[in-house]
Amino acid sequence: MVPALSGLFAPHWEEAARGTILGMTQYSTKAHLARALLEGIAQMSREVLEAMDRDSSAAGVQSLSLLRVDGGASRNN
C-alpha cells in the first residue's frame, strides 16, 4: 500500500501521486490491509529519515542517534 492520499511529499515531492493498494487477492482480509497501511507508513518514514541522514551528512552534522514518535499510528499494536 502506498498511503499517498494527497500526494507524496518528502522526499519525493509528487503532488499528483495517489495512494494505491496492490497485490490483493480474494483471500485478502481487513487485517492484511491494516498491516499493509502500517508498513507503507513505516517505509515512507524510513525514506524521509534516510534523506535527512544524507542531507545532514552533507552538511557535516552527526547522524541521528534517537528518534521519537507520536500520533495515532505510533500507538498501534
Short mmCIF file of all heavy atoms in Angstrom, two decimals:
data_model
loop_
_atom_site.label_atom_id
_atom_site.label_comp_id
_atom_site.label_asym_id
_atom_site.label_seq_id
_atom_site.Cartn_x
_atom_site.Cartn_y
_atom_site.Cartn_z
N MET A 1 0.84 -1.17 0.00
CA MET A 1 0.00 0.00 0.00
C MET A 1 0.89 1.23 0.00
O MET A 1 1.88 1.30 0.73
CB MET A 1 -0.90 0.01 1.23
CG MET A 1 -1.76 1.25 1.33
SD MET A 1 -2.88 1.23 2.72
CE MET A 1 -4.17 0.20 2.07
N VAL A 2 0.54 2.18 -0.82
CA VAL A 2 1.22 3.48 -0.83
C VAL A 2 0.22 4.48 -0.27
O VAL A 2 -0.76 4.83 -0.92
CB VAL A 2 1.65 3.90 -2.25
CG1 VAL A 2 2.27 5.28 -2.24
CG2 VAL A 2 2.60 2.87 -2.85
N PRO A 3 0.43 4.92 0.98
CA PRO A 3 -0.52 5.87 1.59
C PRO A 3 -0.23 7.31 1.14
O PRO A 3 0.43 8.07 1.82
CB PRO A 3 -0.27 5.69 3.09
CG PRO A 3 1.13 5.22 3.20
CD PRO A 3 1.42 4.46 1.94
N ALA A 4 -0.69 7.64 -0.06
CA ALA A 4 -0.46 8.97 -0.62
C ALA A 4 -1.81 9.59 -0.98
O ALA A 4 -2.11 9.86 -2.13
CB ALA A 4 0.43 8.86 -1.86
N LEU A 5 -2.64 9.80 0.02
CA LEU A 5 -4.00 10.26 -0.23
C LEU A 5 -4.04 11.69 -0.77
O LEU A 5 -4.99 12.07 -1.44
CB LEU A 5 -4.83 10.13 1.04
CG LEU A 5 -4.88 8.70 1.59
CD1 LEU A 5 -5.67 8.65 2.88
CD2 LEU A 5 -5.45 7.73 0.57
N SER A 6 -3.03 12.48 -0.47
CA SER A 6 -2.99 13.84 -1.01
C SER A 6 -1.64 14.13 -1.64
O SER A 6 -1.12 15.24 -1.57
CB SER A 6 -3.31 14.86 0.09
OG SER A 6 -2.40 14.74 1.16
N GLY A 7 -1.03 13.10 -2.23
CA GLY A 7 0.27 13.24 -2.89
C GLY A 7 1.39 12.65 -2.06
O GLY A 7 1.21 12.31 -0.89
N LEU A 8 2.53 12.47 -2.69
CA LEU A 8 3.73 12.01 -1.99
C LEU A 8 4.57 13.23 -1.68
O LEU A 8 4.92 13.98 -2.57
CB LEU A 8 4.54 11.06 -2.88
CG LEU A 8 4.08 9.63 -2.95
CD1 LEU A 8 4.91 8.88 -3.98
CD2 LEU A 8 4.14 8.95 -1.61
N PHE A 9 4.87 13.40 -0.43
CA PHE A 9 5.66 14.55 -0.04
C PHE A 9 7.11 14.13 0.16
O PHE A 9 7.61 13.33 -0.60
CB PHE A 9 5.02 15.23 1.18
CG PHE A 9 3.65 15.76 0.82
CD1 PHE A 9 2.51 15.11 1.24
CD2 PHE A 9 3.53 16.88 0.02
CE1 PHE A 9 1.26 15.58 0.87
CE2 PHE A 9 2.27 17.36 -0.35
CZ PHE A 9 1.14 16.71 0.08
N ALA A 10 7.81 14.66 1.14
CA ALA A 10 9.23 14.37 1.31
C ALA A 10 9.47 12.87 1.32
O ALA A 10 8.70 12.14 1.93
CB ALA A 10 9.74 14.99 2.62
N PRO A 11 10.49 12.37 0.69
CA PRO A 11 11.48 13.09 -0.11
C PRO A 11 11.16 13.10 -1.60
O PRO A 11 12.00 13.47 -2.39
CB PRO A 11 12.76 12.30 0.17
CG PRO A 11 12.29 10.88 0.30
CD PRO A 11 10.94 11.00 0.97
N HIS A 12 9.96 12.70 -2.00
CA HIS A 12 9.64 12.55 -3.43
C HIS A 12 9.03 13.80 -4.06
O HIS A 12 9.26 14.08 -5.22
CB HIS A 12 8.69 11.37 -3.64
CG HIS A 12 9.26 10.08 -3.15
ND1 HIS A 12 10.28 9.43 -3.80
CD2 HIS A 12 8.97 9.34 -2.06
CE1 HIS A 12 10.60 8.33 -3.14
NE2 HIS A 12 9.82 8.26 -2.07
N TRP A 13 8.19 14.51 -3.33
CA TRP A 13 7.56 15.72 -3.80
C TRP A 13 6.79 15.53 -5.11
O TRP A 13 7.07 16.15 -6.12
CB TRP A 13 8.57 16.86 -3.91
CG TRP A 13 9.24 17.11 -2.60
CD1 TRP A 13 10.54 16.84 -2.30
CD2 TRP A 13 8.64 17.59 -1.40
NE1 TRP A 13 10.78 17.14 -0.98
CE2 TRP A 13 9.64 17.60 -0.40
CE3 TRP A 13 7.36 18.01 -1.06
CZ2 TRP A 13 9.40 18.04 0.90
CZ3 TRP A 13 7.12 18.43 0.25
CH2 TRP A 13 8.13 18.44 1.20
N GLU A 14 5.84 14.61 -5.09
CA GLU A 14 4.97 14.34 -6.24
C GLU A 14 3.53 14.60 -5.81
O GLU A 14 2.84 13.73 -5.30
CB GLU A 14 5.12 12.88 -6.70
CG GLU A 14 6.44 12.54 -7.32
CD GLU A 14 6.63 13.18 -8.68
OE1 GLU A 14 5.65 13.55 -9.34
OE2 GLU A 14 7.81 13.33 -9.07
N GLU A 15 3.07 15.83 -6.02
CA GLU A 15 1.72 16.21 -5.58
C GLU A 15 0.62 15.45 -6.31
O GLU A 15 -0.46 15.26 -5.78
CB GLU A 15 1.52 17.71 -5.74
CG GLU A 15 2.37 18.52 -4.78
CD GLU A 15 2.12 20.00 -4.93
OE1 GLU A 15 1.03 20.40 -5.38
OE2 GLU A 15 3.04 20.77 -4.59
N ALA A 16 0.89 15.00 -7.53
CA ALA A 16 -0.13 14.31 -8.31
C ALA A 16 -0.25 12.83 -7.96
O ALA A 16 -1.19 12.16 -8.38
CB ALA A 16 0.17 14.46 -9.80
N ALA A 17 0.68 12.30 -7.17
CA ALA A 17 0.65 10.88 -6.80
C ALA A 17 -0.59 10.60 -5.94
O ALA A 17 -1.05 11.45 -5.18
CB ALA A 17 1.91 10.51 -6.04
N ARG A 18 -1.10 9.40 -6.07
CA ARG A 18 -2.25 8.98 -5.27
C ARG A 18 -1.94 7.64 -4.64
O ARG A 18 -1.11 6.87 -5.12
CB ARG A 18 -3.51 8.88 -6.14
CG ARG A 18 -3.99 10.22 -6.64
CD ARG A 18 -4.43 11.09 -5.45
NE ARG A 18 -4.79 12.43 -5.86
CZ ARG A 18 -4.07 13.51 -5.58
NH1 ARG A 18 -2.95 13.40 -4.90
NH2 ARG A 18 -4.44 14.69 -5.97
N GLY A 19 -2.64 7.36 -3.56
CA GLY A 19 -2.46 6.10 -2.85
C GLY A 19 -2.87 4.92 -3.72
O GLY A 19 -3.68 5.05 -4.63
N THR A 20 -2.29 3.78 -3.44
CA THR A 20 -2.61 2.58 -4.20
C THR A 20 -2.50 1.35 -3.31
O THR A 20 -1.75 1.34 -2.34
CB THR A 20 -1.68 2.44 -5.43
OG1 THR A 20 -2.09 1.34 -6.20
CG2 THR A 20 -0.24 2.25 -5.02
N ILE A 21 -3.28 0.35 -3.66
CA ILE A 21 -3.22 -0.94 -2.98
C ILE A 21 -2.98 -1.98 -4.06
O ILE A 21 -3.78 -2.10 -4.99
CB ILE A 21 -4.54 -1.26 -2.23
CG1 ILE A 21 -4.86 -0.16 -1.22
CG2 ILE A 21 -4.44 -2.61 -1.55
CD1 ILE A 21 -6.25 -0.28 -0.63
N LEU A 22 -1.88 -2.72 -3.94
CA LEU A 22 -1.52 -3.71 -4.95
C LEU A 22 -1.41 -5.09 -4.31
O LEU A 22 -1.14 -5.21 -3.12
CB LEU A 22 -0.18 -3.35 -5.59
CG LEU A 22 -0.11 -2.00 -6.25
CD1 LEU A 22 1.33 -1.65 -6.58
CD2 LEU A 22 -0.97 -1.95 -7.47
N GLY A 23 -1.57 -6.12 -5.08
CA GLY A 23 -1.32 -7.48 -4.63
C GLY A 23 -2.47 -8.12 -3.87
O GLY A 23 -2.29 -9.16 -3.24
N MET A 24 -3.64 -7.53 -3.92
CA MET A 24 -4.79 -8.12 -3.22
C MET A 24 -5.31 -9.34 -3.98
O MET A 24 -5.26 -9.39 -5.20
CB MET A 24 -5.92 -7.10 -3.07
CG MET A 24 -5.59 -6.02 -2.08
SD MET A 24 -6.96 -4.86 -1.85
CE MET A 24 -8.24 -5.93 -1.25
N THR A 25 -5.79 -10.30 -3.23
CA THR A 25 -6.44 -11.47 -3.81
C THR A 25 -7.78 -11.65 -3.13
O THR A 25 -8.14 -10.88 -2.22
CB THR A 25 -5.60 -12.74 -3.60
OG1 THR A 25 -5.62 -13.07 -2.20
CG2 THR A 25 -4.16 -12.56 -4.07
N GLN A 26 -8.49 -12.68 -3.51
CA GLN A 26 -9.78 -12.95 -2.87
C GLN A 26 -9.60 -13.37 -1.41
O GLN A 26 -10.56 -13.40 -0.65
CB GLN A 26 -10.54 -14.03 -3.63
CG GLN A 26 -9.83 -15.37 -3.65
CD GLN A 26 -10.49 -16.35 -4.59
OE1 GLN A 26 -11.27 -15.96 -5.46
NE2 GLN A 26 -10.19 -17.63 -4.44
N TYR A 27 -8.39 -13.68 -1.02
CA TYR A 27 -8.11 -14.11 0.35
C TYR A 27 -7.61 -12.96 1.24
O TYR A 27 -7.33 -13.18 2.42
CB TYR A 27 -7.08 -15.25 0.35
CG TYR A 27 -7.53 -16.41 -0.49
CD1 TYR A 27 -6.93 -16.67 -1.71
CD2 TYR A 27 -8.59 -17.22 -0.08
CE1 TYR A 27 -7.37 -17.72 -2.51
CE2 TYR A 27 -9.03 -18.27 -0.87
CZ TYR A 27 -8.41 -18.52 -2.08
OH TYR A 27 -8.84 -19.55 -2.88
N SER A 28 -7.48 -11.77 0.68
CA SER A 28 -7.04 -10.63 1.47
C SER A 28 -8.12 -10.25 2.48
O SER A 28 -9.31 -10.27 2.17
CB SER A 28 -6.75 -9.43 0.57
OG SER A 28 -5.68 -9.73 -0.32
N THR A 29 -7.67 -9.89 3.68
CA THR A 29 -8.60 -9.53 4.75
C THR A 29 -8.35 -8.09 5.20
O THR A 29 -7.38 -7.45 4.78
CB THR A 29 -8.42 -10.46 5.96
OG1 THR A 29 -7.12 -10.22 6.52
CG2 THR A 29 -8.56 -11.92 5.58
N LYS A 30 -9.22 -7.61 6.10
CA LYS A 30 -9.01 -6.28 6.67
C LYS A 30 -7.68 -6.22 7.40
O LYS A 30 -7.00 -5.19 7.39
CB LYS A 30 -10.14 -5.94 7.64
CG LYS A 30 -11.46 -5.64 6.96
CD LYS A 30 -12.46 -5.10 7.96
CE LYS A 30 -13.26 -6.25 8.53
NZ LYS A 30 -14.35 -5.79 9.42
N ALA A 31 -7.29 -7.32 8.02
CA ALA A 31 -6.00 -7.35 8.73
C ALA A 31 -4.84 -7.17 7.76
O ALA A 31 -3.86 -6.48 8.08
CB ALA A 31 -5.86 -8.67 9.49
N HIS A 32 -4.94 -7.78 6.58
CA HIS A 32 -3.88 -7.60 5.57
C HIS A 32 -3.79 -6.13 5.15
O HIS A 32 -2.68 -5.59 5.00
CB HIS A 32 -4.16 -8.46 4.33
CG HIS A 32 -4.04 -9.92 4.57
ND1 HIS A 32 -5.10 -10.77 4.41
CD2 HIS A 32 -2.99 -10.68 4.94
CE1 HIS A 32 -4.71 -12.00 4.68
NE2 HIS A 32 -3.43 -11.97 5.01
N LEU A 33 -4.93 -5.49 4.96
CA LEU A 33 -4.93 -4.08 4.56
C LEU A 33 -4.36 -3.19 5.66
O LEU A 33 -3.58 -2.28 5.39
CB LEU A 33 -6.35 -3.62 4.22
CG LEU A 33 -6.93 -4.19 2.93
CD1 LEU A 33 -8.39 -3.79 2.77
CD2 LEU A 33 -6.13 -3.71 1.74
N ALA A 34 -4.74 -3.47 6.92
CA ALA A 34 -4.22 -2.68 8.03
C ALA A 34 -2.70 -2.83 8.13
O ALA A 34 -1.98 -1.84 8.31
CB ALA A 34 -4.88 -3.11 9.34
N ARG A 35 -2.22 -4.04 7.99
CA ARG A 35 -0.77 -4.28 8.05
C ARG A 35 -0.06 -3.58 6.90
O ARG A 35 1.00 -2.97 7.08
CB ARG A 35 -0.49 -5.79 8.02
CG ARG A 35 0.95 -6.15 7.84
CD ARG A 35 1.55 -6.72 9.05
NE ARG A 35 2.97 -6.91 8.89
CZ ARG A 35 3.63 -7.94 9.35
NH1 ARG A 35 3.00 -8.88 10.02
NH2 ARG A 35 4.93 -8.03 9.20
N ALA A 36 -0.63 -3.67 5.70
CA ALA A 36 -0.03 -3.02 4.54
C ALA A 36 0.03 -1.50 4.73
O ALA A 36 1.03 -0.87 4.37
CB ALA A 36 -0.81 -3.36 3.28
N LEU A 37 -1.00 -0.93 5.31
CA LEU A 37 -1.00 0.51 5.56
C LEU A 37 0.09 0.89 6.54
O LEU A 37 0.86 1.82 6.31
CB LEU A 37 -2.36 0.96 6.10
CG LEU A 37 -2.44 2.43 6.50
CD1 LEU A 37 -2.17 3.32 5.31
CD2 LEU A 37 -3.78 2.73 7.11
N LEU A 38 0.20 0.15 7.65
CA LEU A 38 1.25 0.44 8.63
C LEU A 38 2.64 0.26 8.04
O LEU A 38 3.55 1.06 8.30
CB LEU A 38 1.07 -0.43 9.87
CG LEU A 38 -0.17 -0.11 10.71
CD1 LEU A 38 -0.36 -1.15 11.79
CD2 LEU A 38 -0.08 1.28 11.29
N GLU A 39 2.83 -0.78 7.23
CA GLU A 39 4.13 -0.99 6.59
C GLU A 39 4.42 0.12 5.59
O GLU A 39 5.58 0.56 5.45
CB GLU A 39 4.18 -2.36 5.92
CG GLU A 39 4.28 -3.49 6.92
CD GLU A 39 4.34 -4.86 6.28
OE1 GLU A 39 4.25 -4.96 5.03
OE2 GLU A 39 4.47 -5.84 7.03
N GLY A 40 3.39 0.60 4.88
CA GLY A 40 3.57 1.71 3.95
C GLY A 40 4.01 2.97 4.66
O GLY A 40 4.90 3.70 4.20
N ILE A 41 3.39 3.25 5.82
CA ILE A 41 3.78 4.42 6.61
C ILE A 41 5.22 4.26 7.09
O ILE A 41 6.01 5.21 7.05
CB ILE A 41 2.82 4.59 7.80
CG1 ILE A 41 1.43 4.99 7.31
CG2 ILE A 41 3.36 5.63 8.79
CD1 ILE A 41 0.35 4.96 8.38
N ALA A 42 5.56 3.06 7.54
CA ALA A 42 6.93 2.81 8.02
C ALA A 42 7.94 3.01 6.89
O ALA A 42 9.01 3.61 7.10
CB ALA A 42 7.04 1.40 8.60
N GLN A 43 7.64 2.53 5.70
CA GLN A 43 8.57 2.68 4.57
C GLN A 43 8.73 4.15 4.19
O GLN A 43 9.85 4.61 3.89
CB GLN A 43 8.09 1.87 3.35
CG GLN A 43 8.22 0.39 3.53
CD GLN A 43 9.68 -0.05 3.64
OE1 GLN A 43 10.58 0.56 3.09
NE2 GLN A 43 9.90 -1.13 4.37
N MET A 44 7.63 4.90 4.20
CA MET A 44 7.72 6.33 3.88
C MET A 44 8.55 7.05 4.94
O MET A 44 9.35 7.93 4.62
CB MET A 44 6.33 6.94 3.76
CG MET A 44 5.58 6.45 2.52
SD MET A 44 3.92 7.11 2.40
CE MET A 44 4.26 8.81 2.02
N SER A 45 8.36 6.68 6.20
CA SER A 45 9.15 7.28 7.29
C SER A 45 10.62 6.97 7.11
O SER A 45 11.49 7.84 7.31
CB SER A 45 8.66 6.77 8.64
OG SER A 45 7.32 7.13 8.86
N ARG A 46 10.93 5.72 6.74
CA ARG A 46 12.32 5.32 6.50
C ARG A 46 12.94 6.17 5.40
O ARG A 46 14.08 6.64 5.51
CB ARG A 46 12.40 3.84 6.13
CG ARG A 46 13.83 3.36 5.86
CD ARG A 46 13.85 1.96 5.29
NE ARG A 46 13.08 1.83 4.06
CZ ARG A 46 13.52 2.18 2.84
NH1 ARG A 46 14.72 2.66 2.68
NH2 ARG A 46 12.75 2.03 1.78
N GLU A 47 12.19 6.39 4.32
CA GLU A 47 12.71 7.19 3.22
C GLU A 47 13.02 8.62 3.66
O GLU A 47 14.04 9.19 3.28
CB GLU A 47 11.72 7.22 2.06
CG GLU A 47 11.61 5.90 1.33
CD GLU A 47 10.60 5.95 0.19
OE1 GLU A 47 9.71 6.83 0.21
OE2 GLU A 47 10.69 5.10 -0.69
N VAL A 48 12.15 9.20 4.49
CA VAL A 48 12.39 10.55 4.99
C VAL A 48 13.61 10.58 5.89
O VAL A 48 14.46 11.47 5.78
CB VAL A 48 11.14 11.09 5.73
CG1 VAL A 48 11.46 12.38 6.46
CG2 VAL A 48 10.00 11.31 4.75
N LEU A 49 13.74 9.60 6.78
CA LEU A 49 14.90 9.55 7.68
C LEU A 49 16.20 9.37 6.91
O LEU A 49 17.23 9.98 7.24
CB LEU A 49 14.73 8.44 8.71
CG LEU A 49 13.65 8.72 9.75
CD1 LEU A 49 13.37 7.46 10.56
CD2 LEU A 49 14.06 9.87 10.64
N GLU A 50 16.18 8.52 5.87
CA GLU A 50 17.38 8.35 5.06
C GLU A 50 17.75 9.64 4.34
O GLU A 50 18.93 9.99 4.23
CB GLU A 50 17.20 7.21 4.06
CG GLU A 50 17.23 5.84 4.70
CD GLU A 50 16.94 4.71 3.72
OE1 GLU A 50 16.54 4.98 2.57
OE2 GLU A 50 17.12 3.55 4.12
N ALA A 51 16.75 10.37 3.84
CA ALA A 51 17.02 11.65 3.18
C ALA A 51 17.58 12.66 4.17
O ALA A 51 18.51 13.40 3.85
CB ALA A 51 15.74 12.19 2.53
N MET A 52 17.03 12.67 5.39
CA MET A 52 17.55 13.57 6.43
C MET A 52 18.99 13.22 6.76
O MET A 52 19.82 14.12 6.93
CB MET A 52 16.69 13.47 7.70
CG MET A 52 15.33 14.08 7.56
SD MET A 52 14.26 13.74 8.98
CE MET A 52 15.22 14.35 10.34
N ASP A 53 19.29 11.93 6.84
CA ASP A 53 20.66 11.50 7.15
C ASP A 53 21.62 11.91 6.04
O ASP A 53 22.72 12.40 6.31
CB ASP A 53 20.68 9.98 7.37
CG ASP A 53 21.98 9.50 7.97
OD1 ASP A 53 22.44 10.12 8.96
OD2 ASP A 53 22.54 8.52 7.46
N ARG A 54 21.21 11.73 4.78
CA ARG A 54 22.06 12.14 3.66
C ARG A 54 22.32 13.65 3.71
O ARG A 54 23.44 14.11 3.53
CB ARG A 54 21.42 11.78 2.32
CG ARG A 54 21.58 10.35 1.91
CD ARG A 54 21.17 10.13 0.47
NE ARG A 54 19.84 10.62 0.14
CZ ARG A 54 18.71 9.92 0.30
NH1 ARG A 54 18.75 8.69 0.76
NH2 ARG A 54 17.56 10.45 -0.04
N ASP A 55 21.25 14.42 3.93
CA ASP A 55 21.39 15.88 3.95
C ASP A 55 22.25 16.35 5.11
O ASP A 55 23.06 17.26 4.96
CB ASP A 55 20.02 16.55 4.00
CG ASP A 55 19.22 16.38 2.72
OD1 ASP A 55 19.80 15.92 1.71
OD2 ASP A 55 18.02 16.68 2.74
N SER A 56 22.05 15.74 6.28
CA SER A 56 22.82 16.16 7.44
C SER A 56 24.30 15.77 7.29
O SER A 56 25.18 16.51 7.70
CB SER A 56 22.25 15.60 8.74
OG SER A 56 22.31 14.20 8.76
N SER A 57 24.55 14.61 6.68
CA SER A 57 25.94 14.20 6.44
C SER A 57 26.64 15.17 5.49
O SER A 57 27.80 15.52 5.69
CB SER A 57 25.99 12.79 5.86
OG SER A 57 25.53 11.85 6.79
N ALA A 58 25.92 15.61 4.47
CA ALA A 58 26.49 16.55 3.51
C ALA A 58 26.80 17.89 4.18
O ALA A 58 27.73 18.59 3.78
CB ALA A 58 25.54 16.76 2.34
N ALA A 59 26.05 18.20 5.23
CA ALA A 59 26.27 19.46 5.94
C ALA A 59 27.26 19.31 7.09
O ALA A 59 27.50 20.25 7.83
CB ALA A 59 24.93 19.98 6.47
N GLY A 60 27.80 18.10 7.26
CA GLY A 60 28.78 17.86 8.31
C GLY A 60 28.17 17.67 9.69
O GLY A 60 28.86 17.80 10.69
N VAL A 61 26.88 17.34 9.74
CA VAL A 61 26.20 17.14 11.02
C VAL A 61 26.19 15.65 11.35
O VAL A 61 26.06 14.81 10.46
CB VAL A 61 24.75 17.67 10.93
CG1 VAL A 61 24.00 17.42 12.23
CG2 VAL A 61 24.75 19.14 10.58
N GLN A 62 26.31 15.33 12.62
CA GLN A 62 26.32 13.93 13.07
C GLN A 62 24.99 13.25 12.75
O GLN A 62 23.94 13.88 12.75
CB GLN A 62 26.57 13.88 14.57
CG GLN A 62 26.67 12.49 15.14
CD GLN A 62 26.92 12.52 16.64
OE1 GLN A 62 27.07 13.57 17.24
NE2 GLN A 62 26.96 11.36 17.24
N SER A 63 25.04 11.95 12.48
CA SER A 63 23.83 11.18 12.18
C SER A 63 22.87 11.16 13.36
O SER A 63 23.28 11.33 14.51
CB SER A 63 24.18 9.73 11.83
OG SER A 63 24.91 9.68 10.64
N LEU A 64 21.61 10.94 13.05
CA LEU A 64 20.60 10.85 14.10
C LEU A 64 20.90 9.65 15.01
O LEU A 64 21.23 8.58 14.53
CB LEU A 64 19.22 10.66 13.49
CG LEU A 64 18.67 11.80 12.65
CD1 LEU A 64 17.37 11.37 11.98
CD2 LEU A 64 18.45 13.02 13.50
N SER A 65 20.81 9.86 16.30
CA SER A 65 21.04 8.76 17.23
C SER A 65 19.77 8.40 18.00
O SER A 65 19.73 7.39 18.69
CB SER A 65 22.15 9.13 18.22
OG SER A 65 21.77 10.26 18.96
N LEU A 66 18.72 9.22 17.88
CA LEU A 66 17.49 8.99 18.61
C LEU A 66 16.31 9.45 17.77
O LEU A 66 16.38 10.50 17.13
CB LEU A 66 17.52 9.77 19.94
CG LEU A 66 16.30 9.72 20.82
CD1 LEU A 66 16.12 8.30 21.36
CD2 LEU A 66 16.44 10.70 21.97
N LEU A 67 15.26 8.68 17.78
CA LEU A 67 14.05 9.04 17.06
C LEU A 67 12.87 8.88 18.01
O LEU A 67 12.69 7.82 18.62
CB LEU A 67 13.85 8.13 15.83
CG LEU A 67 12.56 8.33 15.05
CD1 LEU A 67 12.54 9.71 14.41
CD2 LEU A 67 12.41 7.24 14.01
N ARG A 68 12.09 9.91 18.14
CA ARG A 68 10.88 9.87 18.97
C ARG A 68 9.67 10.05 18.07
O ARG A 68 9.70 10.85 17.14
CB ARG A 68 10.91 10.97 20.03
CG ARG A 68 12.03 10.76 21.01
CD ARG A 68 12.08 11.89 21.99
NE ARG A 68 13.30 11.74 22.76
CZ ARG A 68 13.39 12.00 24.03
NH1 ARG A 68 12.35 12.43 24.70
NH2 ARG A 68 14.53 11.83 24.66
N VAL A 69 8.64 9.29 18.34
CA VAL A 69 7.44 9.36 17.51
C VAL A 69 6.21 9.55 18.40
O VAL A 69 6.21 9.21 19.58
CB VAL A 69 7.26 8.09 16.65
CG1 VAL A 69 8.40 7.92 15.68
CG2 VAL A 69 7.13 6.86 17.53
N ASP A 70 5.17 10.11 17.79
CA ASP A 70 3.90 10.25 18.49
C ASP A 70 2.79 10.20 17.45
O ASP A 70 3.04 9.99 16.27
CB ASP A 70 3.84 11.53 19.32
CG ASP A 70 3.91 12.80 18.47
OD1 ASP A 70 3.95 12.70 17.23
OD2 ASP A 70 3.94 13.87 19.05
N GLY A 71 1.58 10.34 17.87
CA GLY A 71 0.45 10.29 16.96
C GLY A 71 -0.24 8.93 17.02
O GLY A 71 0.26 7.98 17.62
N GLY A 72 -1.39 8.87 16.40
CA GLY A 72 -2.21 7.67 16.46
C GLY A 72 -1.55 6.41 15.95
O GLY A 72 -1.66 5.35 16.56
N ALA A 73 -0.85 6.50 14.83
CA ALA A 73 -0.23 5.29 14.26
C ALA A 73 0.85 4.72 15.16
O ALA A 73 1.07 3.50 15.19
CB ALA A 73 0.36 5.60 12.87
N SER A 74 1.50 5.57 15.94
CA SER A 74 2.57 5.10 16.82
C SER A 74 2.02 4.29 18.00
O SER A 74 2.75 3.56 18.65
CB SER A 74 3.43 6.25 17.34
OG SER A 74 2.68 7.06 18.22
N ARG A 75 0.73 4.40 18.27
CA ARG A 75 0.12 3.66 19.37
C ARG A 75 -0.50 2.35 18.91
O ARG A 75 -1.11 1.64 19.68
CB ARG A 75 -0.93 4.52 20.06
CG ARG A 75 -0.33 5.71 20.80
CD ARG A 75 -1.36 6.44 21.62
NE ARG A 75 -2.43 7.03 20.81
CZ ARG A 75 -2.39 8.25 20.29
NH1 ARG A 75 -1.34 9.00 20.47
NH2 ARG A 75 -3.39 8.71 19.61
N ASN A 76 -0.36 2.02 17.64
CA ASN A 76 -0.95 0.80 17.10
C ASN A 76 -0.13 -0.42 17.51
O ASN A 76 1.09 -0.41 17.41
CB ASN A 76 -1.02 0.90 15.57
CG ASN A 76 -1.78 -0.23 14.96
OD1 ASN A 76 -1.36 -1.37 15.02
ND2 ASN A 76 -2.92 0.09 14.39
N ASN A 77 -0.80 -1.44 18.02
CA ASN A 77 -0.10 -2.65 18.42
C ASN A 77 0.47 -3.39 17.22
O ASN A 77 1.34 -4.20 17.34
CB ASN A 77 -1.03 -3.59 19.17
CG ASN A 77 -1.37 -3.02 20.54
OD1 ASN A 77 -0.60 -2.27 21.11
ND2 ASN A 77 -2.55 -3.34 21.03
#
